[in-house]
């Protein structure tokens, strides 16, 4: 199963006999809640999902977007109409970071069929609506562990023995700037691999061949042991998604730099070199 879907293919599936559940996960890092934008216009039938409230637990020692409580996450997905027997498509405003977080969480929690709308809302050429759907409650019961997960110690170990990719902007990796977290820099041994390079100027994913060449340049193959982190486990999920498009499984360090940098005992590397 592909991890992404084009707007034209989604339009066809929505008109078919078994349309997917649609989740609108619009979100802005440090910006206003996007529920008002959803209320103005969204894909017909799409249910709004709040990343901060439903796709993450409270910020704290585990980072800015730690894993949500499993029971609470399951309840939120069932309220949105998610069932294990029906495919799910998620979209956001265009970056696909938030949509990728929803994709990753649902896949990690055991949902068998989840895809991200390539290019997000901006790619959709069909009708929009302000009508708020009232879906029938779904039956989805999370079974965590379907995708690999890293903690801080596991990320440190993988940076030494395998391949750990840092999905943040290169200047944050180097430690030139750090607008959000306590310390700038990166996990020693991690390679800089900004998520923004997974997509074209339109915000759509590069072709599978281009993505395969990109990740091959880092040494990632289907046989590699690969991990990804970012600032707080959002853009890193986008990197895991891009890797999935080319058949490379990767573990996500959900706590990411927002967890790592809170612990002063953990080493920090700066500059362009991994170590």
């Amino acid at each position: 199963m592909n991890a992404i879907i084009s707007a034209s293919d989604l339009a066809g599936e929505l008109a078919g006999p078994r349309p997917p559940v649609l989740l609108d996960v619009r979100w802005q890092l440090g910006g206003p809640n996007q529920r008002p934008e959803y209320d103005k216009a969204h894909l017909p039938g799409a249910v709004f999902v709040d990343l901060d409230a439903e796709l993450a637990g409270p910020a704290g020692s585990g980072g800015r977007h730690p894993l949500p409580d499993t029971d609470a996450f399951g309840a939120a997905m069932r309220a949105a109409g998610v069932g294990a027997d029906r495919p799910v498509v998620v979209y956001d405003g265009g970056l696909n970071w938030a949509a990728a977080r929803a994709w990753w969480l649902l896949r990690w929690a055991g949902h068998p069929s989840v895809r991200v709308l390539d290019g997000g809302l901006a790619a959709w050429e069909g009708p929009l609506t302000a009508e708020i759907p009232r879906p029938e409650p779904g039956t989805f019961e999370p079974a965590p562990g379907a995708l690999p997960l890293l903690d801080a110690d596991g990320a440190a170990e993988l940076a030494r023995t395998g391949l750990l990719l840092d999905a943040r902007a290169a200047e944050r990796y180097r430690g030139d700037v750090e607008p959000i977290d306590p310390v700038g820099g990166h996990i020693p041994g991690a390679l800089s691999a900004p998520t923004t390079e997974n997509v074209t100027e339109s915000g759509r994913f590069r072709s599978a061949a281009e993505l395969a060449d990109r990740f091959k340049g880092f040494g990632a193959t289907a046989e590699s042991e690969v991990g990804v982190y970012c600032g707080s486990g959002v853009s890193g999920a986008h990197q895991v998604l891009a890797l999935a498009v080319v058949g490379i499984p990767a573990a996500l360090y959900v706590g990411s730099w927002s967890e790592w940098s809170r612990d002063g005992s953990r080493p920090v590397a700066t500059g362009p070199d991994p170590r």
Side-chain angles (χ1 to χ4, degrees), residues 18-273:
R18 191 168 178 257
V21 173
L22 281 179
L23 303 180
D24 183 312
V25 200
R26 276 178 275 182
W27 172 80
Q28 286 186 4
L29 176 62
N33 188 285
Q34 294 297 291
R35 177 65 195 241
E37 296 304 310
Y38 165 85
D39 289 341
K40 291 177 186 176
H42 51 266
L43 270 66
V47 176
F48 183 75
V49 174
D50 188 322
L51 185 150
D52 291 315
E54 297 172 313
L55 303 182
S61 61
R64 281 182 278 111
H65 292 106
L67 287 173
D69 174 80
T70 301
D71 290 341
F73 173 64
M77 292 300 97
R78 289 191 296 275
V82 175
D85 60 345
R86 188 175 169 192
V88 177
V89 172
V90 293
Y91 71 90
D92 59 25
L95 282 177
N96 279 336
W97 290 7
R101 171 73 176 216
W103 168 84
W104 184 86
L105 264 175
L106 279 163
R107 291 288 294 114
W108 170 78
H111 198 288
S113 179
V114 190
R115 290 164 293 170
V116 169
L117 174 58
D118 192 13
L121 186 63
W124 179 251
E125 297 180 351
L128 298 174
T129 183
E131 182 179 351
I132 306 300
R134 297 290 183 263
E136 290 292 324
T139 58
F140 178 64
E141 294 289 346
L147 293 184
L149 180 67
L150 291 172
D151 59 11
D153 291 340
E157 177 66 18
L158 189 58
R160 292 191 295 267
T161 63
L163 178 62
L164 183 66
L165 301 178
D166 185 319
R168 298 172 301 158
E171 58 269 25
R172 291 185 68 193
Y173 171 89
R174 295 190 301 265
D176 298 345
V177 297
E178 182 43 66
I180 306 172
D181 294 313
V183 178
H186 58 269
I187 297 174
L191 301 185
S192 178
T195 288
T196 51
E197 296 179 16
N198 294 330
V199 298
T200 66
E201 291 183 0
S202 71
R204 301 187 191 188
F205 279 95
R206 298 188 182 278
S207 70
E210 289 176 307
L211 288 173
D213 284 345
R214 165 169 157 75
F215 292 121
K216 184 178 179 181
F218 296 113
T221 68
E223 291 73 39
S224 306
E225 189 176 3
V226 182
V228 178
Y229 76 97
C230 57
S232 64
V234 177
S235 66
H238 188 283
Q239 193 96 289
V240 175
L241 175 63
L243 285 156
V245 168
V246 296
I248 300 175
L252 179 64
Y253 172 26
V254 173
S256 285
W257 191 249
S258 61
E259 177 186 40
W260 184 278
S261 61
R262 285 173 181 264
D263 185 343
S265 69
R266 295 197 179 278
V268 170
T270 56
D273 295 328

